[in-house]
Amino acid sequence: MDFDTPLFDTPLAEAWVRAIAAAVEKEEGRLTELDSAIGDGDHGSNLRRGFAAALTALDGLRPAGPGAVLSKAGTTLISKVGGASGPLYGKAFRAIGAALPGPAGPADLADALAAGLDAVRTLGRAEPGDKTIVDAYTPAVAAFRACAAAGAALPEAAGAAADAAEQGARDTIPLRARKGRASYLGERSIGHQDPGATSTALLFRTLAEVAAG
Amino acid sequence: MKKLINTPESVLEDALAGVAAAHPELTVDIPNRVITRTVRPDAPKVALISGGGSGHEPLHGGFVGRGMLDAACPGEVFTSPVPDQMLAAAKAVDSGAGVVFVVKNYTGDVMNFELAAELAAEEGVEVRTVLVNDDVAVEDSTWTAGRRGTGATVLVEKTAGALAERGAPLDEVAALGERVNAASRSFAIALTAATVPAVGRPGFDLPEDEIEVGVGIHGEPGRRREKLRPARELAAEVVETILADHHLTPGDEVIALLNGLGGTPLMELYIAYGEVAARLAQHGITVARSLVGNYVTSLDMAGFSLTLTKADAQLLELWDAPVDTPALKRA
């Protein structure tokens, strides 16, 4: 192992959850606005509530590793958020956490993130192109994995994943929603960026930021 | 936004406190957000549990009581409850005969109830799930989230609740619920959008002279926008849309639920019901039982939904069975 490469360890996992909580608080209005256009307008407030609860749950926790941090965050999201985003992000973080027993390098983190994507796809029964979280999450994992395979360090891989997720979120604009509440709008969902894909892009951007230090 | 609230953050807790104060026959566990019957049934029976986002009152808490639900789990406004709530409810009301979850087909509700069913099974509670998906406004295919669950939820809860009260076993109660859902179709029209307290403004902008046709119950827009027309024409369109999807033939009997979405006076609902009944009569369809009022609302949305359930002797008998809940009573 190359010891100059920063690892995704417990402090970094905690920093990630804190950064997400701060980001969803800051972006609550934008997420809610996107969700009002094609959903029911509570995506921002639900995520803010969920990650605030996750921070509280982490207080006083002595996590056994980075995975324990993310698993706890995931469990909290399932218990506190409701809606679709609670179980989807909750299951994702639990799956990522389960795949990270100890500090991880880029390749292991790529696998863990992919496990999270599998959890989202299984629970939501969504495919790329359905105009959901999956549309940002799938290219993010692919970019992260490609960078890791090419020997990139964590900050670089996370940065590429964030860029890919943001592009994936923008690419949902012309899509017609086939899952979630936006699917009830049919053709009228076209022309709006998916709020779930947008919050996923936010999650990957915060990962890139905390990895960059 | 002009609402009778304390703060947008405390809407749910404050409403539950009011329910508790108004209804000693209900036990309201505010921290766990579970509403149960204060007096439990004497004999073991299948327990009916439902839940969903708040803002649809009286659904579901208003239907907890003898002959209908054993417990209800309210979520945040327009947001499904979390699995912990359904688990707490299941453990509170299971008498060993098992639990039926009545779930409206919305992605969040389906996922959270699915997780709850797993947790309950781990705790030894036998669970069946009845999925309600009666809204014909939604194009249904294997590639979409499928039709929404709306007004038929009341019919499922009433009839399955009556059957459970008689001591029917778990599979039979669940099968009846599925049968009622399959026999039901709904369609809704909105005259205004709903305002979620935490958001503070209407979910969509609707000009004074326009309506949304084919709305759901979460402030989400409908399938298209049209000019406002007289109640007679709107009622006719709702009936025709349902009949185009529901294989009813002259001579058939239905149970009709003309439901207000929260912001329409009862007088206008009766105007709409009168037109619906006349239109159905033209088709030779008999309304065997009817219910007019606010049962599955969408906060302050003006408008109405119509649910038609094809009736038979068993369904009518279960519909007529005694019920004693805050929102539905029959001796």
Side-chain angles (χ1 to χ4, degrees), chain A residues 36 39-42 46 49 78-84 87-88 91 124-125 176 178-181 183-185 188, chain B residues 76 78-80 82-84 105 107-108 112 114-115 138-139 143-146 148 199 212 218 221-224:
Chain A
S36 293
D40 56 354
D42 61 5
N46 282 346
R49 193 158 39 79
I78 292 173
S79 314
K80 299 290 181 193
V81 178
L88 288 170
K91 279 254 176 183
R125 300 174 189 96
R176 176 183 170 152
R178 289 192 295 239
K179 293 286 172 186
R181 207 159 280 166
S183 67
Y184 305 130
L185 289 180
R188 290 166 74 183
Chain B
E76 291 287 325
F78 289 174
T79 300
S80 69
V82 298
D84 298 12
N105 190 35
T107 308
N112 283 283
E114 204 173 292
L115 296 179
V138 179
E139 189 187 322
W143 304 104
T144 69
R148 297 176 284 220
V199 179
E212 280 281 345
H218 298 95
R223 63 177 181 185
R224 64 174 189 277

Side-chain angles (χ1 to χ4, degrees), chain A residues 51-118:
Chain A
F51 279 98
L55 285 193
T56 307
L58 289 182
D59 281 342
L61 183 78
R62 288 208 190 126
V69 172
L70 302 184
S71 296
K72 185 70 183 176
T75 303
T76 310
L77 294 177
I78 292 173
S79 314
K80 299 290 181 193
V81 178
S85 56
L88 288 170
Y89 281 130
K91 279 254 176 183
F93 277 100
R94 282 171 58 95
I96 298 169
L100 294 172
D108 288 337
L109 186 56
D111 287 344
L113 293 169
L117 175 58
D118 283 344

Side-chain angles (χ1 to χ4, degrees), chain B residues 55-135:
Chain B
H56 308 305
E57 287 68 31
L59 196 75
H60 295 274
F63 299 125
V64 176
R66 188 169 61 88
M68 226 162 152
L69 295 177
D70 293 272
C73 307
E76 291 287 325
V77 173
F78 289 174
T79 300
S80 69
V82 298
D84 298 12
Q85 288 172 259
M86 287 77 107
L87 180 64
K91 284 160 74 174
V93 300
D94 179 35
S95 59
V99 166
V100 173
F101 285 160
V102 179
V103 183
K104 299 186 296 304
N105 190 35
Y106 290 95
T107 308
D109 293 80
V110 172
M111 285 181 195
N112 283 283
F113 271 98
E114 204 173 292
L115 296 179
E118 284 172 23
L119 295 174
E122 284 170 19
E123 303 244 356
V125 179
E126 207 174 350
V127 178
R128 298 285 182 279
T129 296
V130 174
L131 196 65
V132 182
N133 59 351
D134 52 318
D135 182 8

Side-chain angles (χ1 to χ4, degrees), chain B residues 269-327:
Chain B
L269 297 182
Y270 275 115
I271 290 172
Y273 180 74
E275 299 297 344
V276 163
R279 192 80 185 187
L280 287 170
Q282 285 174 18
H283 283 278
I285 293 162
T286 306
V287 180
R289 304 287 187 277
S290 61
L291 192 59
V292 179
N294 292 302
Y295 293 97
V296 186
T297 57
S298 178
L299 288 172
D300 51 355
M301 185 184 268
F304 72 100
S305 67
L306 176 67
T307 301
L308 297 180
T309 300
K310 186 174 174 178
D312 57 30
Q314 188 201 15
L315 294 195
L316 290 178
E317 209 224 321
L318 292 169
W319 182 253
D320 292 340
V323 60
D324 186 8
T325 67

